[in-house]
Amino acid sequence: MSEDKPTNVPISSGRRQLLIGSGLLGAAAAVNPGMAFAHWGRGGWGWWNPEENVEPVDWTVDQLRTALTALRDDTFFAMIAFGVPGDDPYSEYQGVSTPYPGGITTRADLYLFGGTDLLVPMPPEFMDQMLASIATYLKLSPMDIPDMAAEDVGENGEYILENLDSTFTELLEGEVSNSVLVALLLNLAATRVSGSIDGPFPSPFANLSWEQKAKVFEELENEHSWLKRAITWAIPNRDYREAAPGVLNLMVSFMLRISGFGSYCEFAVFNPATREVVQRPLGWVLSQYAPDAPPSGIGSDDLIGYFQGRRSV
């Protein structure tokens, strides 16, 4: 954000509607008329808005950032529970859990969104166009934040997330992380897979069953995914439009791989200053890895010191 632009100026509904009229939605439909029927076959035409009968709400840029961050954090907790279930509420709600700690206990979510943010450096213009395209899709098929979790996304957060439009990228001035982009993508796919979703978490993705989460990734990995094509079609710059599918595929693939790696690595207990593991990592416990133990049936011999006593190659 620039220093001369305050972050707490209320953004009125009227101003948002004026900015919506920039023609992005019409341009998307012109590129491919099928865009208007993105939700066809999923319970109707898909032109619904959970806030259509609610009075307009004034909100601030700070509230927008808070809502997006809360959505991102909740989505990534659910992603870690999907990859390495444990005894946490996210694992239990998805229907696949264990009686011992899982990936969430290691705070692998921090590892995951930190890596996602650094994975693909994107020019601000590319990020703006990608997010504006997602917002165009959200205009057709908005997110529905469960009422019971509304407070978890901050003041006015539920209203903001259920009414995201193409103006929110202008308000954030290009300062949007890759992890927020991925969180929006996962929740769009979740809504497409299951329609309106209820549950205890603000993220629609977090309220899915384990099997439904798998279908979300099936939707996102499919080269013929309607969701990815709909998002790509609405990107005006040709070079960015052609690059978008590859970028999205890379991010989705990264999420699946790193949710497991982050849970089993030493990230949470590694001290970078001393380059030491300060306590036994949970991943070592889960995998029964015992680097200081004598050779035994626990673990693999080639992971206990150097294989066959070798000291050089």
Side-chain angles (χ1 to χ4, degrees):
M1 300 292 294
S2 60
E3 295 182 358
D4 59 343
K5 183 173 182 177
T7 60
N8 60 348
V9 177
I11 309 300
S12 69
S13 177
R15 182 186 169 204
R16 289 200 302 277
Q17 294 302 321
L18 177 62
L19 291 172
I20 291 173
S22 60
L24 182 57
L25 181 60
V31 172
N32 182 14
M35 181 68 183
F37 308 103
H39 219 58
W40 175 250
R42 301 281 178 171
W45 290 91
W47 191 277
W48 59 274
N49 189 332
E51 295 291 329
E52 64 182 355
N53 296 318
V54 176
E55 289 296 321
V57 174
D58 284 341
W59 47 267
T60 68
V61 174
D62 284 342
Q63 290 172 353
L64 169 60
R65 289 188 180 280
T66 297
L68 289 173
T69 299
L71 180 74
R72 187 273 311 275
D73 292 351
D74 199 55
T75 303
F76 276 53
F77 273 130
M79 179 67 227
I80 296 300
F82 173 71
V84 183
D87 58 358
D88 57 274
Y90 291 86
S91 297
E92 292 173 357
Y93 194 80
Q94 71 181 0
V96 176
S97 62
T98 69
Y100 40 83
I104 286 180
T105 303
T106 70
R107 290 315 307 270
D109 57 298
L110 300 177
Y111 189 93
L112 182 58
F113 77 66
T116 304
D117 288 343
L118 297 173
L119 177 64
V120 183
M122 284 193 282
E125 184 183 1
F126 186 15
M127 177 63 81
D128 284 349
Q129 292 192 24
M130 186 90 76
L131 289 167
S133 180
I134 286 177
T136 298
Y137 187 96
L138 283 169
K139 182 63 179 177
L140 297 170
S141 184
M143 280 188 292
D144 187 5
I145 305 301
D147 291 338
M148 68 176 71
E151 294 183 359
D152 295 336
V153 289
E155 184 181 2
N156 294 328
E158 180 186 13
Y159 180 90
I160 293 170
L161 293 174
E162 291 183 346
N163 291 276
L164 284 178
D165 56 50
S166 60
T167 66
F168 85 99
T169 57
E170 300 173 30
L171 300 173
L172 296 175
E173 297 182 329
E175 295 182 8
V176 183
S177 64
N178 289 351
S179 54
V180 168
L181 171 66
V182 171
L184 289 171
L185 187 66
L186 288 174
N187 286 295
L188 260 67
T191 302
R192 178 161 175 78
V193 165
S194 297
S196 182
I197 302 169
D198 196 14
F201 307 114
S203 160
F205 177 78
N207 290 303
L208 297 180
S209 67
W210 193 91
E211 291 79 8
Q212 288 173 322
K213 289 178 181 176
K215 290 181 179 179
V216 164
F217 284 96
E218 181 181 353
E219 165 73 17
L220 293 175
E221 288 183 311
N222 189 335
E223 63 178 313
H224 302 298
S225 165
W226 173 259
L227 174 59
K228 286 197 297 187
R229 285 189 292 168
I231 292 172
T232 301
W233 284 327
I235 296 176
N237 181 287
R238 178 179 177 181
D239 292 336
Y240 293 156
R241 188 165 60 247
E242 292 178 348
V247 171
L248 294 176
N249 287 343
L250 179 61
M251 287 185 171
V252 170
S253 175
F254 180 84
M255 290 281 289
L256 286 169
R257 295 196 306 269
I258 300 303
S259 62
F261 182 81
S263 298
Y264 278 88
C265 75
E266 296 80 20
F267 162 76
V269 294
F270 180 73
N271 185 331
T274 63
R275 299 182 65 82
E276 294 178 338
V277 175
V278 298
Q279 66 185 66
R280 186 171 175 79
L282 180 62
W284 293 10
V285 177
L286 296 176
S287 62
Q288 301 185 52
Y289 175 48
D292 299 322
S296 68
I298 299 177
S300 174
D301 289 344
D302 60 5
L303 294 178
I304 301 177
Y306 290 93
F307 181 60
Q308 295 181 345
R310 290 180 173 84
R311 288 293 181 267
S312 61
V313 293

